[in-house]
Short mmCIF file of all heavy atoms in Angstrom, two decimals:
data_model
loop_
_atom_site.label_atom_id
_atom_site.label_comp_id
_atom_site.label_asym_id
_atom_site.label_seq_id
_atom_site.Cartn_x
_atom_site.Cartn_y
_atom_site.Cartn_z
N SER B 1 14.61 -22.33 20.20
CA SER B 1 16.02 -22.44 19.82
C SER B 1 16.26 -21.94 18.40
O SER B 1 17.39 -22.00 17.90
CB SER B 1 16.49 -23.89 19.93
OG SER B 1 16.34 -24.37 21.25
N GLY B 2 15.19 -21.46 17.75
CA GLY B 2 15.32 -20.92 16.40
C GLY B 2 15.22 -21.94 15.30
O GLY B 2 15.53 -21.63 14.13
N GLU B 3 14.76 -23.15 15.63
CA GLU B 3 14.66 -24.20 14.61
C GLU B 3 13.32 -24.14 13.89
O GLU B 3 12.30 -23.77 14.47
CB GLU B 3 14.82 -25.58 15.25
CG GLU B 3 16.12 -25.79 16.01
CD GLU B 3 17.34 -25.81 15.12
OE1 GLU B 3 17.19 -25.83 13.88
OE2 GLU B 3 18.45 -25.79 15.68
N LYS B 4 13.33 -24.53 12.62
CA LYS B 4 12.08 -24.71 11.89
C LYS B 4 11.61 -26.14 12.14
O LYS B 4 12.35 -27.09 11.88
CB LYS B 4 12.26 -24.48 10.39
CG LYS B 4 10.97 -24.65 9.61
CD LYS B 4 11.15 -24.45 8.13
CE LYS B 4 9.83 -24.70 7.39
NZ LYS B 4 9.98 -24.57 5.92
N ILE B 5 10.40 -26.29 12.65
CA ILE B 5 9.93 -27.62 13.01
C ILE B 5 8.74 -28.03 12.16
O ILE B 5 8.06 -27.19 11.56
CB ILE B 5 9.56 -27.73 14.50
CG1 ILE B 5 8.20 -27.08 14.79
CG2 ILE B 5 10.64 -27.16 15.39
CD1 ILE B 5 7.56 -27.57 16.06
N ARG B 6 8.51 -29.33 12.13
CA ARG B 6 7.33 -29.91 11.48
C ARG B 6 6.80 -30.99 12.39
O ARG B 6 7.57 -31.83 12.89
CB ARG B 6 7.72 -30.48 10.12
CG ARG B 6 6.57 -31.06 9.32
CD ARG B 6 5.62 -29.99 8.82
NE ARG B 6 4.99 -30.37 7.57
CZ ARG B 6 3.92 -31.17 7.47
NH1 ARG B 6 3.38 -31.67 8.56
NH2 ARG B 6 3.42 -31.47 6.29
N ARG B 7 5.51 -30.98 12.65
CA ARG B 7 4.86 -32.08 13.38
C ARG B 7 4.20 -32.99 12.35
O ARG B 7 3.78 -32.54 11.29
CB ARG B 7 3.80 -31.52 14.34
CG ARG B 7 4.29 -30.49 15.34
CD ARG B 7 5.07 -31.07 16.47
NE ARG B 7 4.30 -31.90 17.36
CZ ARG B 7 3.73 -31.46 18.48
NH1 ARG B 7 3.84 -30.19 18.84
NH2 ARG B 7 3.07 -32.29 19.26
N GLY B 8 4.06 -34.28 12.68
CA GLY B 8 3.38 -35.18 11.76
C GLY B 8 3.79 -36.62 11.98
O GLY B 8 4.33 -36.98 13.02
N THR B 9 3.52 -37.44 10.99
CA THR B 9 3.80 -38.87 11.05
C THR B 9 5.24 -39.16 10.67
O THR B 9 5.73 -38.69 9.64
CB THR B 9 2.86 -39.66 10.12
OG1 THR B 9 1.51 -39.47 10.54
CG2 THR B 9 3.19 -41.15 10.13
N VAL B 10 5.93 -39.94 11.50
CA VAL B 10 7.26 -40.45 11.18
C VAL B 10 7.12 -41.93 10.82
O VAL B 10 6.54 -42.70 11.59
CB VAL B 10 8.23 -40.25 12.36
CG1 VAL B 10 9.55 -40.98 12.10
CG2 VAL B 10 8.47 -38.77 12.60
N ALA B 11 7.63 -42.29 9.65
CA ALA B 11 7.50 -43.66 9.15
C ALA B 11 8.81 -44.41 9.31
O ALA B 11 9.87 -43.92 8.92
CB ALA B 11 7.09 -43.64 7.68
N SER B 12 8.74 -45.62 9.89
CA SER B 12 9.93 -46.43 10.14
C SER B 12 9.88 -47.72 9.32
O SER B 12 8.83 -48.33 9.14
CB SER B 12 10.02 -46.81 11.62
OG SER B 12 10.01 -45.67 12.45
N GLY B 13 11.06 -48.12 8.85
CA GLY B 13 11.19 -49.39 8.14
C GLY B 13 12.65 -49.77 8.03
O GLY B 13 13.53 -48.92 8.23
N ASP B 14 12.91 -51.01 7.71
CA ASP B 14 14.30 -51.49 7.64
C ASP B 14 14.91 -51.22 6.27
O ASP B 14 15.47 -52.11 5.62
CB ASP B 14 14.36 -52.98 7.98
CG ASP B 14 14.22 -53.22 9.48
OD1 ASP B 14 14.77 -52.42 10.25
OD2 ASP B 14 13.55 -54.19 9.87
N THR B 15 14.80 -49.97 5.83
CA THR B 15 15.36 -49.53 4.56
C THR B 15 15.90 -48.12 4.71
O THR B 15 15.22 -47.26 5.29
CB THR B 15 14.28 -49.52 3.46
OG1 THR B 15 13.75 -50.85 3.28
CG2 THR B 15 14.84 -49.03 2.13
N PHE B 16 17.10 -47.88 4.22
CA PHE B 16 17.59 -46.51 4.09
C PHE B 16 16.90 -45.92 2.87
O PHE B 16 17.14 -46.35 1.74
CB PHE B 16 19.10 -46.47 3.94
CG PHE B 16 19.67 -45.07 3.79
CD1 PHE B 16 19.94 -44.31 4.92
CD2 PHE B 16 19.89 -44.53 2.54
CE1 PHE B 16 20.45 -43.02 4.79
CE2 PHE B 16 20.39 -43.25 2.40
CZ PHE B 16 20.67 -42.49 3.53
N ILE B 17 16.05 -44.95 3.09
CA ILE B 17 15.21 -44.43 2.00
C ILE B 17 16.04 -43.51 1.11
O ILE B 17 16.53 -42.48 1.55
CB ILE B 17 13.99 -43.68 2.56
CG1 ILE B 17 13.16 -44.62 3.44
CG2 ILE B 17 13.14 -43.10 1.43
CD1 ILE B 17 12.07 -43.91 4.23
N ALA B 18 16.19 -43.91 -0.14
CA ALA B 18 16.94 -43.13 -1.13
C ALA B 18 16.28 -43.33 -2.49
O ALA B 18 16.94 -43.62 -3.49
CB ALA B 18 18.40 -43.54 -1.16
N ASP B 19 14.96 -43.17 -2.52
CA ASP B 19 14.16 -43.48 -3.69
C ASP B 19 12.97 -42.53 -3.75
O ASP B 19 12.13 -42.55 -2.86
CB ASP B 19 13.70 -44.93 -3.60
CG ASP B 19 12.92 -45.40 -4.82
OD1 ASP B 19 11.95 -44.73 -5.20
OD2 ASP B 19 13.26 -46.45 -5.37
N THR B 20 12.91 -41.72 -4.78
CA THR B 20 11.84 -40.72 -4.89
C THR B 20 10.46 -41.36 -4.92
O THR B 20 9.52 -40.84 -4.30
CB THR B 20 12.05 -39.86 -6.15
OG1 THR B 20 13.30 -39.18 -6.04
CG2 THR B 20 10.93 -38.82 -6.30
N GLU B 21 10.33 -42.49 -5.59
CA GLU B 21 9.01 -43.14 -5.68
C GLU B 21 8.57 -43.67 -4.31
O GLU B 21 7.40 -43.54 -3.94
CB GLU B 21 9.04 -44.28 -6.71
CG GLU B 21 9.17 -43.80 -8.14
CD GLU B 21 8.11 -42.77 -8.51
OE1 GLU B 21 6.91 -43.03 -8.24
OE2 GLU B 21 8.47 -41.70 -9.03
N LEU B 22 9.50 -44.25 -3.56
CA LEU B 22 9.16 -44.72 -2.20
C LEU B 22 8.81 -43.52 -1.32
O LEU B 22 7.85 -43.57 -0.55
CB LEU B 22 10.33 -45.50 -1.60
CG LEU B 22 10.16 -45.97 -0.16
CD1 LEU B 22 8.92 -46.85 0.00
CD2 LEU B 22 11.41 -46.70 0.32
N LYS B 23 9.58 -42.46 -1.44
CA LYS B 23 9.31 -41.24 -0.68
C LYS B 23 7.89 -40.73 -0.96
O LYS B 23 7.14 -40.42 -0.03
CB LYS B 23 10.34 -40.17 -1.04
CG LYS B 23 10.08 -38.80 -0.45
CD LYS B 23 11.19 -37.82 -0.83
CE LYS B 23 10.90 -36.42 -0.31
NZ LYS B 23 12.04 -35.50 -0.53
N LYS B 24 7.51 -40.66 -2.23
CA LYS B 24 6.17 -40.19 -2.59
C LYS B 24 5.10 -41.12 -2.05
O LYS B 24 4.05 -40.67 -1.58
CB LYS B 24 6.05 -40.08 -4.11
CG LYS B 24 6.85 -38.95 -4.72
CD LYS B 24 6.69 -38.92 -6.23
CE LYS B 24 7.46 -37.77 -6.86
NZ LYS B 24 7.34 -37.78 -8.34
N PHE B 25 5.35 -42.43 -2.11
CA PHE B 25 4.37 -43.41 -1.61
C PHE B 25 4.15 -43.24 -0.11
O PHE B 25 3.01 -43.24 0.37
CB PHE B 25 4.84 -44.83 -1.91
CG PHE B 25 4.02 -45.89 -1.22
CD1 PHE B 25 2.76 -46.22 -1.69
CD2 PHE B 25 4.50 -46.54 -0.09
CE1 PHE B 25 1.98 -47.18 -1.04
CE2 PHE B 25 3.74 -47.49 0.56
CZ PHE B 25 2.47 -47.81 0.08
N LEU B 26 5.22 -43.11 0.64
CA LEU B 26 5.10 -42.99 2.09
C LEU B 26 4.37 -41.71 2.49
O LEU B 26 3.61 -41.69 3.45
CB LEU B 26 6.48 -43.05 2.75
CG LEU B 26 7.23 -44.37 2.56
CD1 LEU B 26 8.61 -44.29 3.22
CD2 LEU B 26 6.45 -45.54 3.12
N ASN B 27 4.59 -40.66 1.73
CA ASN B 27 3.90 -39.40 2.01
C ASN B 27 2.43 -39.49 1.65
O ASN B 27 1.55 -39.07 2.42
CB ASN B 27 4.56 -38.25 1.25
CG ASN B 27 3.87 -36.93 1.50
OD1 ASN B 27 3.10 -36.45 0.67
ND2 ASN B 27 4.12 -36.32 2.66
N SER B 28 2.12 -40.07 0.50
CA SER B 28 0.72 -40.12 0.05
C SER B 28 -0.09 -41.17 0.80
O SER B 28 -1.24 -40.94 1.17
CB SER B 28 0.65 -40.39 -1.46
OG SER B 28 1.23 -41.65 -1.77
N HIS B 29 0.52 -42.33 1.10
CA HIS B 29 -0.23 -43.43 1.71
C HIS B 29 -0.37 -43.26 3.23
O HIS B 29 -1.44 -43.50 3.79
CB HIS B 29 0.46 -44.76 1.41
CG HIS B 29 -0.35 -45.95 1.83
ND1 HIS B 29 -1.36 -46.48 1.05
CD2 HIS B 29 -0.31 -46.72 2.95
CE1 HIS B 29 -1.91 -47.51 1.68
NE2 HIS B 29 -1.28 -47.68 2.83
N PHE B 30 0.71 -42.85 3.88
CA PHE B 30 0.70 -42.73 5.35
C PHE B 30 0.65 -41.27 5.82
O PHE B 30 0.51 -41.03 7.02
CB PHE B 30 1.93 -43.39 5.95
CG PHE B 30 2.00 -44.89 5.75
CD1 PHE B 30 2.81 -45.43 4.77
CD2 PHE B 30 1.24 -45.74 6.54
CE1 PHE B 30 2.88 -46.81 4.58
CE2 PHE B 30 1.31 -47.12 6.36
CZ PHE B 30 2.12 -47.66 5.38
N GLY B 31 0.79 -40.33 4.91
CA GLY B 31 0.89 -38.93 5.33
C GLY B 31 2.17 -38.65 6.07
O GLY B 31 2.25 -37.69 6.85
N ALA B 32 3.20 -39.45 5.84
CA ALA B 32 4.45 -39.33 6.58
C ALA B 32 5.26 -38.13 6.09
O ALA B 32 5.33 -37.86 4.89
CB ALA B 32 5.28 -40.60 6.46
N VAL B 33 5.89 -37.43 7.03
CA VAL B 33 6.72 -36.27 6.70
C VAL B 33 8.21 -36.56 6.91
O VAL B 33 9.06 -35.78 6.49
CB VAL B 33 6.30 -35.03 7.50
CG1 VAL B 33 4.86 -34.67 7.20
CG2 VAL B 33 6.49 -35.23 9.01
N CYS B 34 8.52 -37.67 7.56
CA CYS B 34 9.91 -38.02 7.86
C CYS B 34 10.04 -39.54 7.90
O CYS B 34 9.12 -40.24 8.35
CB CYS B 34 10.32 -37.42 9.21
SG CYS B 34 12.02 -37.78 9.73
N GLY B 35 11.17 -40.03 7.42
CA GLY B 35 11.42 -41.47 7.43
C GLY B 35 12.70 -41.81 8.16
O GLY B 35 13.68 -41.04 8.14
N GLU B 36 12.71 -42.97 8.80
CA GLU B 36 13.89 -43.47 9.52
C GLU B 36 13.72 -44.95 9.78
O GLU B 36 12.87 -45.59 9.15
CB GLU B 36 14.16 -42.65 10.79
CG GLU B 36 12.92 -42.18 11.54
CD GLU B 36 12.40 -43.22 12.51
OE1 GLU B 36 12.09 -44.34 12.09
OE2 GLU B 36 12.28 -42.88 13.69
N MET B 37 14.50 -45.52 10.72
CA MET B 37 14.54 -46.98 10.86
C MET B 37 14.27 -47.49 12.27
O MET B 37 14.38 -48.69 12.50
CB MET B 37 15.91 -47.49 10.39
CG MET B 37 16.23 -47.16 8.94
SD MET B 37 17.88 -47.69 8.41
CE MET B 37 17.72 -49.47 8.46
N GLU B 38 13.88 -46.62 13.22
CA GLU B 38 13.74 -47.08 14.60
C GLU B 38 12.50 -46.59 15.34
O GLU B 38 11.97 -47.31 16.20
CB GLU B 38 14.97 -46.65 15.43
CG GLU B 38 16.29 -47.22 14.98
CD GLU B 38 16.94 -46.42 13.86
OE1 GLU B 38 16.68 -45.20 13.78
OE2 GLU B 38 17.69 -47.01 13.07
N GLY B 39 12.06 -45.38 15.09
CA GLY B 39 11.07 -44.73 15.95
C GLY B 39 9.80 -45.51 16.20
O GLY B 39 9.31 -45.59 17.33
N ALA B 40 9.23 -46.09 15.14
CA ALA B 40 7.97 -46.82 15.31
C ALA B 40 8.16 -48.12 16.06
O ALA B 40 7.25 -48.59 16.76
CB ALA B 40 7.31 -47.07 13.96
N ALA B 41 9.33 -48.74 15.93
CA ALA B 41 9.61 -49.96 16.71
C ALA B 41 9.72 -49.62 18.19
O ALA B 41 9.21 -50.35 19.06
CB ALA B 41 10.89 -50.62 16.21
N ILE B 42 10.38 -48.50 18.49
CA ILE B 42 10.47 -48.04 19.88
C ILE B 42 9.08 -47.70 20.40
O ILE B 42 8.70 -48.06 21.52
CB ILE B 42 11.43 -46.83 19.97
CG1 ILE B 42 12.86 -47.30 19.71
CG2 ILE B 42 11.31 -46.12 21.33
CD1 ILE B 42 13.86 -46.19 19.50
#
């Protein structure tokens, strides 16, 4: 469909992520490339 995709770890938590330090932590600690609030619970 012409989209640029990324495969990897999606990290879920009950927080709307809007913090550079949290973003860096989730990437370095879990190798996460995307954050949201439901996927891992599902």
Side-chain angles (χ1 to χ4, degrees):
S1 300
E3 303 292 351
K4 181 181 177 183
I5 77 159
R6 182 70 150 82
R7 304 285 292 266
T9 298
V10 171
S12 303
D14 284 322
T15 299
F16 179 85
I17 301 170
D19 183 308
T20 299
E21 291 306 311
L22 177 57
K23 173 178 176 173
K24 289 179 179 177
F25 170 75
L26 296 178
N27 180 258
S28 62
H29 189 82
F30 295 102
V33 299
C34 179
E36 36 86 303
M37 300 177 68
E38 298 84 28
I42 290 169

